PDB file of all heavy atoms in Angstrom:
ATOM      1  N   ILE C   2     -44.093 185.595 161.095  1.00 94.00           N
ATOM      2  CA  ILE C   2     -44.274 185.398 159.656  1.00 94.00           C
ATOM      3  C   ILE C   2     -43.720 184.040 159.233  1.00 94.00           C
ATOM      4  O   ILE C   2     -44.345 183.312 158.455  1.00 94.00           O
ATOM      5  CB  ILE C   2     -43.620 186.544 158.867  1.00 94.00           C
ATOM      6  CG1 ILE C   2     -44.398 187.837 159.069  1.00 94.00           C
ATOM      7  CG2 ILE C   2     -43.507 186.208 157.392  1.00 94.00           C
ATOM      8  CD1 ILE C   2     -43.696 189.071 158.553  1.00 94.00           C
ATOM      9  N   LEU C   3     -42.545 183.671 159.741  1.00 94.00           N
ATOM     10  CA  LEU C   3     -41.946 182.378 159.423  1.00 94.00           C
ATOM     11  C   LEU C   3     -42.840 181.237 159.892  1.00 94.00           C
ATOM     12  O   LEU C   3     -43.094 180.277 159.155  1.00 94.00           O
ATOM     13  CB  LEU C   3     -40.563 182.265 160.061  1.00 94.00           C
ATOM     14  CG  LEU C   3     -39.879 180.904 159.941  1.00 94.00           C
ATOM     15  CD1 LEU C   3     -39.411 180.681 158.510  1.00 94.00           C
ATOM     16  CD2 LEU C   3     -38.723 180.810 160.907  1.00 94.00           C
ATOM     17  N   ILE C   4     -43.356 181.343 161.110  1.00 94.00           N
ATOM     18  CA  ILE C   4     -44.199 180.285 161.666  1.00 94.00           C
ATOM     19  C   ILE C   4     -45.530 180.209 160.917  1.00 94.00           C
ATOM     20  O   ILE C   4     -46.017 179.118 160.622  1.00 94.00           O
ATOM     21  CB  ILE C   4     -44.395 180.497 163.183  1.00 94.00           C
ATOM     22  CG1 ILE C   4     -43.058 180.262 163.898  1.00 94.00           C
ATOM     23  CG2 ILE C   4     -45.477 179.595 163.740  1.00 94.00           C
ATOM     24  CD1 ILE C   4     -43.030 180.658 165.342  1.00 94.00           C
ATOM     25  N   ALA C   5     -46.107 181.345 160.574  1.00 95.00           N
ATOM     26  CA  ALA C   5     -47.364 181.357 159.826  1.00 95.00           C
ATOM     27  C   ALA C   5     -47.176 180.718 158.449  1.00 95.00           C
ATOM     28  O   ALA C   5     -48.044 179.974 157.975  1.00 95.00           O
ATOM     29  CB  ALA C   5     -47.887 182.780 159.688  1.00 95.00           C
ATOM     30  N   SER C   6     -46.047 180.995 157.826  1.00 95.00           N
ATOM     31  CA  SER C   6     -45.758 180.405 156.522  1.00 95.00           C
ATOM     32  C   SER C   6     -45.611 178.885 156.635  1.00 95.00           C
ATOM     33  O   SER C   6     -46.141 178.134 155.809  1.00 95.00           O
ATOM     34  CB  SER C   6     -44.482 181.022 155.945  1.00 95.00           C
ATOM     35  OG  SER C   6     -44.134 180.401 154.743  1.00 95.00           O
ATOM     36  N   ARG C   7     -44.912 178.442 157.662  1.00 94.00           N
ATOM     37  CA  ARG C   7     -44.732 176.992 157.870  1.00 94.00           C
ATOM     38  C   ARG C   7     -46.068 176.329 158.203  1.00 94.00           C
ATOM     39  O   ARG C   7     -46.371 175.235 157.709  1.00 94.00           O
ATOM     40  CB  ARG C   7     -43.704 176.744 158.981  1.00 94.00           C
ATOM     41  CG  ARG C   7     -43.410 175.290 159.246  1.00 94.00           C
ATOM     42  CD  ARG C   7     -42.803 174.628 158.001  1.00 94.00           C
ATOM     43  NE  ARG C   7     -42.576 173.233 158.198  1.00 94.00           N
ATOM     44  CZ  ARG C   7     -41.384 172.701 158.486  1.00 94.00           C
ATOM     45  NH1 ARG C   7     -40.321 173.459 158.582  1.00 94.00           N
ATOM     46  NH2 ARG C   7     -41.264 171.417 158.672  1.00 94.00           N
ATOM     47  N   LEU C   8     -46.902 176.997 159.005  1.00 94.00           N
ATOM     48  CA  LEU C   8     -48.222 176.459 159.327  1.00 94.00           C
ATOM     49  C   LEU C   8     -49.057 176.336 158.052  1.00 94.00           C
ATOM     50  O   LEU C   8     -49.751 175.341 157.852  1.00 94.00           O
ATOM     51  CB  LEU C   8     -48.934 177.351 160.348  1.00 94.00           C
ATOM     52  CG  LEU C   8     -50.360 176.941 160.710  1.00 94.00           C
ATOM     53  CD1 LEU C   8     -50.386 175.559 161.352  1.00 94.00           C
ATOM     54  CD2 LEU C   8     -50.990 177.968 161.632  1.00 94.00           C
ATOM     55  N   HIS C   9     -48.975 177.312 157.183  1.00 94.00           N
ATOM     56  CA  HIS C   9     -49.692 177.252 155.907  1.00 94.00           C
ATOM     57  C   HIS C   9     -49.247 176.048 155.095  1.00 94.00           C
ATOM     58  O   HIS C   9     -50.073 175.305 154.544  1.00 94.00           O
ATOM     59  CB  HIS C   9     -49.467 178.543 155.124  1.00 94.00           C
ATOM     60  CG  HIS C   9     -50.068 178.523 153.760  1.00 94.00           C
ATOM     61  ND1 HIS C   9     -49.350 178.133 152.650  1.00 94.00           N
ATOM     62  CD2 HIS C   9     -51.320 178.812 153.339  1.00 94.00           C
ATOM     63  CE1 HIS C   9     -50.140 178.202 151.599  1.00 94.00           C
ATOM     64  NE2 HIS C   9     -51.333 178.612 151.975  1.00 94.00           N
ATOM     65  N   ASP C  10     -47.932 175.842 155.012  1.00 90.00           N
ATOM     66  CA  ASP C  10     -47.400 174.703 154.257  1.00 90.00           C
ATOM     67  C   ASP C  10     -47.869 173.376 154.858  1.00 90.00           C
ATOM     68  O   ASP C  10     -48.259 172.454 154.132  1.00 90.00           O
ATOM     69  CB  ASP C  10     -45.880 174.748 154.213  1.00 90.00           C
ATOM     70  CG  ASP C  10     -45.346 175.935 153.421  1.00 90.00           C
ATOM     71  OD1 ASP C  10     -46.138 176.555 152.675  1.00 90.00           O
ATOM     72  OD2 ASP C  10     -44.145 176.251 153.569  1.00 90.00           O
ATOM     73  N   GLU C  11     -47.833 173.275 156.179  1.00 89.00           N
ATOM     74  CA  GLU C  11     -48.274 172.053 156.858  1.00 89.00           C
ATOM     75  C   GLU C  11     -49.766 171.831 156.647  1.00 89.00           C
ATOM     76  O   GLU C  11     -50.212 170.699 156.435  1.00 89.00           O
ATOM     77  CB  GLU C  11     -47.957 172.124 158.365  1.00 89.00           C
ATOM     78  CG  GLU C  11     -46.481 172.183 158.694  1.00 89.00           C
ATOM     79  CD  GLU C  11     -45.755 170.873 158.440  1.00 89.00           C
ATOM     80  OE1 GLU C  11     -46.359 169.797 158.632  1.00 89.00           O
ATOM     81  OE2 GLU C  11     -44.581 170.917 158.053  1.00 89.00           O
ATOM     82  N   LEU C  12     -50.538 172.897 156.686  1.00 89.00           N
ATOM     83  CA  LEU C  12     -51.982 172.785 156.484  1.00 89.00           C
ATOM     84  C   LEU C  12     -52.294 172.340 155.056  1.00 89.00           C
ATOM     85  O   LEU C  12     -53.203 171.541 154.826  1.00 89.00           O
ATOM     86  CB  LEU C  12     -52.666 174.117 156.797  1.00 89.00           C
ATOM     87  CG  LEU C  12     -54.186 174.104 156.864  1.00 89.00           C
ATOM     88  CD1 LEU C  12     -54.668 173.227 158.010  1.00 89.00           C
ATOM     89  CD2 LEU C  12     -54.715 175.512 157.042  1.00 89.00           C
ATOM     90  N   GLU C  13     -51.519 172.820 154.103  1.00 88.00           N
ATOM     91  CA  GLU C  13     -51.689 172.395 152.713  1.00 88.00           C
ATOM     92  C   GLU C  13     -51.448 170.893 152.582  1.00 88.00           C
ATOM     93  O   GLU C  13     -52.148 170.210 151.831  1.00 88.00           O
ATOM     94  CB  GLU C  13     -50.722 173.151 151.795  1.00 88.00           C
ATOM     95  CG  GLU C  13     -51.136 174.557 151.492  1.00 88.00           C
ATOM     96  CD  GLU C  13     -52.343 174.612 150.571  1.00 88.00           C
ATOM     97  OE1 GLU C  13     -52.399 173.843 149.596  1.00 88.00           O
ATOM     98  OE2 GLU C  13     -53.227 175.437 150.854  1.00 88.00           O
ATOM     99  N   LEU C  14     -50.458 170.374 153.291  1.00 84.00           N
ATOM    100  CA  LEU C  14     -50.203 168.938 153.260  1.00 84.00           C
ATOM    101  C   LEU C  14     -51.380 168.159 153.829  1.00 84.00           C
ATOM    102  O   LEU C  14     -51.750 167.096 153.311  1.00 84.00           O
ATOM    103  CB  LEU C  14     -48.932 168.601 154.045  1.00 84.00           C
ATOM    104  CG  LEU C  14     -47.612 169.094 153.463  1.00 84.00           C
ATOM    105  CD1 LEU C  14     -46.473 168.799 154.432  1.00 84.00           C
ATOM    106  CD2 LEU C  14     -47.345 168.440 152.119  1.00 84.00           C
ATOM    107  N   HIS C  15     -51.978 168.692 154.908  1.00 80.00           N
ATOM    108  CA  HIS C  15     -53.094 167.991 155.541  1.00 80.00           C
ATOM    109  C   HIS C  15     -54.377 168.098 154.721  1.00 80.00           C
ATOM    110  O   HIS C  15     -55.187 167.179 154.736  1.00 80.00           O
ATOM    111  CB  HIS C  15     -53.330 168.526 156.956  1.00 80.00           C
ATOM    112  CG  HIS C  15     -52.334 168.038 157.948  1.00 80.00           C
ATOM    113  ND1 HIS C  15     -51.088 168.599 158.075  1.00 80.00           N
ATOM    114  CD2 HIS C  15     -52.370 167.025 158.831  1.00 80.00           C
ATOM    115  CE1 HIS C  15     -50.411 167.960 159.010  1.00 80.00           C
ATOM    116  NE2 HIS C  15     -51.163 167.002 159.483  1.00 80.00           N
ATOM    117  N   THR C  16     -54.590 169.173 154.017  1.00 78.00           N
ATOM    118  CA  THR C  16     -55.819 169.300 153.224  1.00 78.00           C
ATOM    119  C   THR C  16     -55.746 168.462 151.959  1.00 78.00           C
ATOM    120  O   THR C  16     -56.770 168.139 151.380  1.00 78.00           O
ATOM    121  CB  THR C  16     -56.109 170.761 152.834  1.00 78.00           C
ATOM    122  OG1 THR C  16     -54.978 171.305 152.151  1.00 78.00           O
ATOM    123  CG2 THR C  16     -56.422 171.601 154.038  1.00 78.00           C
ATOM    124  N   GLY C  17     -54.563 168.088 151.544  1.00 75.00           N
ATOM    125  CA  GLY C  17     -54.407 167.260 150.356  1.00 75.00           C
ATOM    126  C   GLY C  17     -54.610 165.783 150.638  1.00 75.00           C
ATOM    127  O   GLY C  17     -54.710 164.976 149.724  1.00 75.00           O
ATOM    128  N   LYS C  18     -54.684 165.401 151.903  1.00 64.00           N
ATOM    129  CA  LYS C  18     -54.850 163.989 152.263  1.00 64.00           C
ATOM    130  C   LYS C  18     -56.273 163.529 151.956  1.00 64.00           C
ATOM    131  O   LYS C  18     -57.233 164.263 152.146  1.00 64.00           O
ATOM    132  CB  LYS C  18     -54.570 163.782 153.759  1.00 64.00           C
ATOM    133  CG  LYS C  18     -53.112 163.946 154.134  1.00 64.00           C
ATOM    134  CD  LYS C  18     -52.932 163.680 155.597  1.00 64.00           C
ATOM    135  CE  LYS C  18     -51.461 163.800 155.980  1.00 64.00           C
ATOM    136  NZ  LYS C  18     -51.266 163.604 157.412  1.00 64.00           N
ATOM    137  N   THR C  19     -56.378 162.293 151.484  1.00 53.00           N
ATOM    138  CA  THR C  19     -57.701 161.739 151.236  1.00 53.00           C
ATOM    139  C   THR C  19     -58.228 161.018 152.473  1.00 53.00           C
ATOM    140  O   THR C  19     -59.416 160.909 152.666  1.00 53.00           O
ATOM    141  CB  THR C  19     -57.660 160.750 150.054  1.00 53.00           C
ATOM    142  OG1 THR C  19     -56.657 159.777 150.314  1.00 53.00           O
ATOM    143  CG2 THR C  19     -57.351 161.487 148.773  1.00 53.00           C
ATOM    144  N   LYS C  20     -57.324 160.550 153.307  1.00 55.00           N
ATOM    145  CA  LYS C  20     -57.770 159.892 154.529  1.00 55.00           C
ATOM    146  C   LYS C  20     -58.046 160.955 155.591  1.00 55.00           C
ATOM    147  O   LYS C  20     -57.526 162.069 155.549  1.00 55.00           O
ATOM    148  CB  LYS C  20     -56.718 158.902 155.050  1.00 55.00           C
ATOM    149  CG  LYS C  20     -55.427 159.545 155.518  1.00 55.00           C
ATOM    150  CD  LYS C  20     -54.482 158.476 156.027  1.00 55.00           C
ATOM    151  CE  LYS C  20     -53.193 159.099 156.532  1.00 55.00           C
ATOM    152  NZ  LYS C  20     -53.228 159.501 157.888  1.00 55.00           N
ATOM    153  N   THR C  21     -58.891 160.587 156.531  1.00 54.00           N
ATOM    154  CA  THR C  21     -59.223 161.533 157.594  1.00 54.00           C
ATOM    155  C   THR C  21     -58.134 161.491 158.664  1.00 54.00           C
ATOM    156  O   THR C  21     -57.452 160.484 158.857  1.00 54.00           O
ATOM    157  CB  THR C  21     -60.581 161.182 158.234  1.00 54.00           C
ATOM    158  OG1 THR C  21     -60.510 159.858 158.734  1.00 54.00           O
ATOM    159  CG2 THR C  21     -61.702 161.312 157.225  1.00 54.00           C
ATOM    160  N   LEU C  22     -58.014 162.596 159.344  1.00 53.00           N
ATOM    161  CA  LEU C  22     -57.031 162.692 160.431  1.00 53.00           C
ATOM    162  C   LEU C  22     -57.566 161.997 161.672  1.00 53.00           C
ATOM    163  O   LEU C  22     -58.770 161.815 161.816  1.00 53.00           O
ATOM    164  CB  LEU C  22     -56.794 164.165 160.786  1.00 53.00           C
ATOM    165  CG  LEU C  22     -56.004 165.017 159.815  1.00 53.00           C
ATOM    166  CD1 LEU C  22     -56.061 166.469 160.266  1.00 53.00           C
ATOM    167  CD2 LEU C  22     -54.577 164.567 159.752  1.00 53.00           C
ATOM    168  N   PRO C  23     -56.674 161.642 162.585  1.00 53.00           N
ATOM    169  CA  PRO C  23     -57.167 161.220 163.886  1.00 53.00           C
ATOM    170  C   PRO C  23     -57.911 162.396 164.538  1.00 53.00           C
ATOM    171  O   PRO C  23     -57.935 163.494 164.000  1.00 53.00           O
ATOM    172  CB  PRO C  23     -55.894 160.880 164.673  1.00 53.00           C
ATOM    173  CG  PRO C  23     -54.764 160.972 163.726  1.00 53.00           C
ATOM    174  CD  PRO C  23     -55.243 161.608 162.483  1.00 53.00           C
ATOM    175  N   GLU C  24     -58.512 162.158 165.670  1.00 54.00           N
ATOM    176  CA  GLU C  24     -59.257 163.218 166.369  1.00 54.00           C
ATOM    177  C   GLU C  24     -58.456 164.520 166.428  1.00 54.00           C
ATOM    178  O   GLU C  24     -58.965 165.586 166.184  1.00 54.00           O
ATOM    179  CB  GLU C  24     -59.594 162.744 167.795  1.00 54.00           C
ATOM    180  CG  GLU C  24     -60.406 163.733 168.603  1.00 54.00           C
ATOM    181  CD  GLU C  24     -61.835 163.806 168.131  1.00 54.00           C
ATOM    182  OE1 GLU C  24     -62.333 162.828 167.562  1.00 54.00           O
ATOM    183  OE2 GLU C  24     -62.448 164.852 168.330  1.00 54.00           O
ATOM    184  N   SER C  25     -57.197 164.399 166.742  1.00 66.00           N
ATOM    185  CA  SER C  25     -56.329 165.573 166.784  1.00 66.00           C
ATOM    186  C   SER C  25     -54.899 165.106 166.530  1.00 66.00           C
ATOM    187  O   SER C  25     -54.466 164.100 167.072  1.00 66.00           O
ATOM    188  CB  SER C  25     -56.433 166.247 168.152  1.00 66.00           C
ATOM    189  OG  SER C  25     -55.575 167.344 168.220  1.00 66.00           O
ATOM    190  N   GLU C  26     -54.184 165.828 165.691  1.00 85.00           N
ATOM    191  CA  GLU C  26     -52.793 165.499 165.409  1.00 85.00           C
ATOM    192  C   GLU C  26     -51.929 166.620 165.976  1.00 85.00           C
ATOM    193  O   GLU C  26     -52.240 167.803 165.794  1.00 85.00           O
ATOM    194  CB  GLU C  26     -52.578 165.364 163.906  1.00 85.00           C
ATOM    195  CG  GLU C  26     -51.186 164.905 163.555  1.00 85.00           C
ATOM    196  CD  GLU C  26     -51.017 164.704 162.058  1.00 85.00           C
ATOM    197  OE1 GLU C  26     -52.007 164.613 161.342  1.00 85.00           O
ATOM    198  OE2 GLU C  26     -49.856 164.656 161.630  1.00 85.00           O
ATOM    199  N   LYS C  27     -50.854 166.247 166.650  1.00 89.00           N
ATOM    200  CA  LYS C  27     -49.999 167.250 167.305  1.00 89.00           C
ATOM    201  C   LYS C  27     -48.547 166.834 167.175  1.00 89.00           C
ATOM    202  O   LYS C  27     -48.205 165.669 167.353  1.00 89.00           O
ATOM    203  CB  LYS C  27     -50.379 167.331 168.781  1.00 89.00           C
ATOM    204  CG  LYS C  27     -49.579 168.334 169.590  1.00 89.00           C
ATOM    205  CD  LYS C  27     -49.854 168.220 171.086  1.00 89.00           C
ATOM    206  CE  LYS C  27     -51.238 168.711 171.417  1.00 89.00           C
ATOM    207  NZ  LYS C  27     -51.461 168.794 172.875  1.00 89.00           N
ATOM    208  N   TYR C  28     -47.698 167.807 166.829  1.00 89.00           N
ATOM    209  CA  TYR C  28     -46.257 167.549 166.809  1.00 89.00           C
ATOM    210  C   TYR C  28     -45.512 168.867 167.004  1.00 89.00           C
ATOM    211  O   TYR C  28     -46.073 169.950 166.852  1.00 89.00           O
ATOM    212  CB  TYR C  28     -45.808 166.830 165.527  1.00 89.00           C
ATOM    213  CG  TYR C  28     -46.233 167.479 164.238  1.00 89.00           C
ATOM    214  CD1 TYR C  28     -45.443 168.445 163.629  1.00 89.00           C
ATOM    215  CD2 TYR C  28     -47.424 167.117 163.626  1.00 89.00           C
ATOM    216  CE1 TYR C  28     -45.833 169.029 162.439  1.00 89.00           C
ATOM    217  CE2 TYR C  28     -47.818 167.685 162.438  1.00 89.00           C
ATOM    218  CZ  TYR C  28     -47.022 168.646 161.844  1.00 89.00           C
ATOM    219  OH  TYR C  28     -47.415 169.215 160.681  1.00 89.00           O
ATOM    220  N   THR C  29     -44.226 168.773 167.341  1.00 89.00           N
ATOM    221  CA  THR C  29     -43.404 169.944 167.647  1.00 89.00           C
ATOM    222  C   THR C  29     -42.223 170.003 166.689  1.00 89.00           C
ATOM    223  O   THR C  29     -41.582 168.987 166.421  1.00 89.00           O
ATOM    224  CB  THR C  29     -42.885 169.884 169.098  1.00 89.00           C
ATOM    225  OG1 THR C  29     -44.005 169.769 169.979  1.00 89.00           O
ATOM    226  CG2 THR C  29     -42.098 171.127 169.465  1.00 89.00           C
ATOM    227  N   LEU C  30     -41.965 171.197 166.175  1.00 89.00           N
ATOM    228  CA  LEU C  30     -40.816 171.440 165.313  1.00 89.00           C
ATOM    229  C   LEU C  30     -40.013 172.614 165.871  1.00 89.00           C
ATOM    230  O   LEU C  30     -40.558 173.477 166.558  1.00 89.00           O
ATOM    231  CB  LEU C  30     -41.253 171.784 163.886  1.00 89.00           C
ATOM    232  CG  LEU C  30     -42.000 170.717 163.096  1.00 89.00           C
ATOM    233  CD1 LEU C  30     -42.463 171.293 161.769  1.00 89.00           C
ATOM    234  CD2 LEU C  30     -41.111 169.516 162.872  1.00 89.00           C
ATOM    235  N   LYS C  31     -38.717 172.628 165.543  1.00 91.00           N
ATOM    236  CA  LYS C  31     -37.862 173.735 165.963  1.00 91.00           C
ATOM    237  C   LYS C  31     -37.628 174.649 164.765  1.00 91.00           C
ATOM    238  O   LYS C  31     -37.083 174.227 163.752  1.00 91.00           O
ATOM    239  CB  LYS C  31     -36.537 173.216 166.504  1.00 91.00           C
ATOM    240  CG  LYS C  31     -35.688 174.261 167.172  1.00 91.00           C
ATOM    241  CD  LYS C  31     -34.470 173.639 167.838  1.00 91.00           C
ATOM    242  CE  LYS C  31     -33.722 174.673 168.627  1.00 91.00           C
ATOM    243  NZ  LYS C  31     -32.601 174.095 169.350  1.00 91.00           N
ATOM    244  N   LEU C  32     -38.085 175.899 164.879  1.00 86.00           N
ATOM    245  CA  LEU C  32     -37.916 176.888 163.815  1.00 86.00           C
ATOM    246  C   LEU C  32     -37.182 178.097 164.380  1.00 86.00           C
ATOM    247  O   LEU C  32     -37.695 178.778 165.257  1.00 86.00           O
ATOM    248  CB  LEU C  32     -39.274 177.339 163.263  1.00 86.00           C
ATOM    249  CG  LEU C  32     -40.145 176.275 162.620  1.00 86.00           C
ATOM    250  CD1 LEU C  32     -41.493 176.859 162.261  1.00 86.00           C
ATOM    251  CD2 LEU C  32     -39.470 175.727 161.390  1.00 86.00           C
ATOM    252  N   ASN C  33     -35.991 178.361 163.876  1.00 83.00           N
ATOM    253  CA  ASN C  33     -35.185 179.510 164.343  1.00 83.00           C
ATOM    254  C   ASN C  33     -35.093 179.574 165.858  1.00 83.00           C
ATOM    255  O   ASN C  33     -35.429 180.578 166.471  1.00 83.00           O
ATOM    256  CB  ASN C  33     -35.746 180.818 163.794  1.00 83.00           C
ATOM    257  CG  ASN C  33     -35.319 181.051 162.373  1.00 83.00           C
ATOM    258  OD1 ASN C  33     -34.673 180.215 161.765  1.00 83.00           O
ATOM    259  ND2 ASN C  33     -35.677 182.190 161.839  1.00 83.00           N
ATOM    260  N   GLU C  34     -34.670 178.509 166.455  1.00 84.00           N
ATOM    261  CA  GLU C  34     -34.445 178.424 167.896  1.00 84.00           C
ATOM    262  C   GLU C  34     -35.728 178.494 168.731  1.00 84.00           C
ATOM    263  O   GLU C  34     -35.667 178.616 169.942  1.00 84.00           O
ATOM    264  CB  GLU C  34     -33.473 179.521 168.382  1.00 84.00           C
ATOM    265  CG  GLU C  34     -32.120 179.514 167.688  1.00 84.00           C
ATOM    266  CD  GLU C  34     -31.383 178.198 167.840  1.00 84.00           C
ATOM    267  OE1 GLU C  34     -31.403 177.607 168.919  1.00 84.00           O
ATOM    268  OE2 GLU C  34     -30.788 177.765 166.839  1.00 84.00           O
ATOM    269  N   ALA C  35     -36.888 178.422 168.112  1.00 87.00           N
ATOM    270  CA  ALA C  35     -38.153 178.421 168.841  1.00 87.00           C
ATOM    271  C   ALA C  35     -38.825 177.071 168.660  1.00 87.00           C
ATOM    272  O   ALA C  35     -38.908 176.564 167.538  1.00 87.00           O
ATOM    273  CB  ALA C  35     -39.063 179.539 168.349  1.00 87.00           C
ATOM    274  N   LEU C  36     -39.295 176.488 169.745  1.00 92.00           N
ATOM    275  CA  LEU C  36     -40.042 175.245 169.660  1.00 92.00           C
ATOM    276  C   LEU C  36     -41.492 175.600 169.364  1.00 92.00           C
ATOM    277  O   LEU C  36     -42.133 176.321 170.127  1.00 92.00           O
ATOM    278  CB  LEU C  36     -39.943 174.457 170.964  1.00 92.00           C
ATOM    279  CG  LEU C  36     -38.586 173.821 171.244  1.00 92.00           C
ATOM    280  CD1 LEU C  36     -38.579 173.168 172.615  1.00 92.00           C
ATOM    281  CD2 LEU C  36     -38.250 172.798 170.174  1.00 92.00           C
ATOM    282  N   VAL C  37     -41.989 175.097 168.250  1.00 93.00           N
ATOM    283  CA  VAL C  37     -43.340 175.417 167.803  1.00 93.00           C
ATOM    284  C   VAL C  37     -44.174 174.142 167.808  1.00 93.00           C
ATOM    285  O   VAL C  37     -43.788 173.136 167.209  1.00 93.00           O
ATOM    286  CB  VAL C  37     -43.331 176.031 166.388  1.00 93.00           C
ATOM    287  CG1 VAL C  37     -44.731 176.457 165.982  1.00 93.00           C
ATOM    288  CG2 VAL C  37     -42.370 177.203 166.318  1.00 93.00           C
ATOM    289  N   GLU C  38     -45.293 174.196 168.499  1.00 95.00           N
ATOM    290  CA  GLU C  38     -46.198 173.049 168.556  1.00 95.00           C
ATOM    291  C   GLU C  38     -47.305 173.250 167.527  1.00 95.00           C
ATOM    292  O   GLU C  38     -48.029 174.244 167.576  1.00 95.00           O
ATOM    293  CB  GLU C  38     -46.803 172.931 169.954  1.00 95.00           C
ATOM    294  CG  GLU C  38     -47.727 171.747 170.110  1.00 95.00           C
ATOM    295  CD  GLU C  38     -48.293 171.678 171.512  1.00 95.00           C
ATOM    296  OE1 GLU C  38     -47.509 171.378 172.438  1.00 95.00           O
ATOM    297  OE2 GLU C  38     -49.496 171.943 171.666  1.00 95.00           O
TER     298      GLU C  38
END
């Protein structure tokens, strides 16, 4: 649930952008001791 909520927030940031993304954007964050890509 925590990761899904964070993914939603991140997706909202990306959908608000006017510029297009690169082919694929990837990054890793640490949420509650779990590395999430």
Side-chain angles (χ1 to χ4, degrees):
I2 290 169
L3 174 73
I4 292 170
S6 176
R7 182 62 183 259
L8 177 62
H9 175 267
D10 294 345
E11 296 289 326
L12 190 64
E13 283 289 317
L14 292 174
H15 284 81
T16 55
K18 290 182 178 178
T19 54
K20 66 179 181 87
T21 58
L22 287 172
E24 182 73 26
S25 178
E26 185 177 343
K27 180 189 289 188
Y28 53 89
T29 303
L30 296 174
K31 190 173 186 176
L32 298 174
N33 280 4
E34 303 302 319
L36 288 175
V37 184
E38 181 180 290

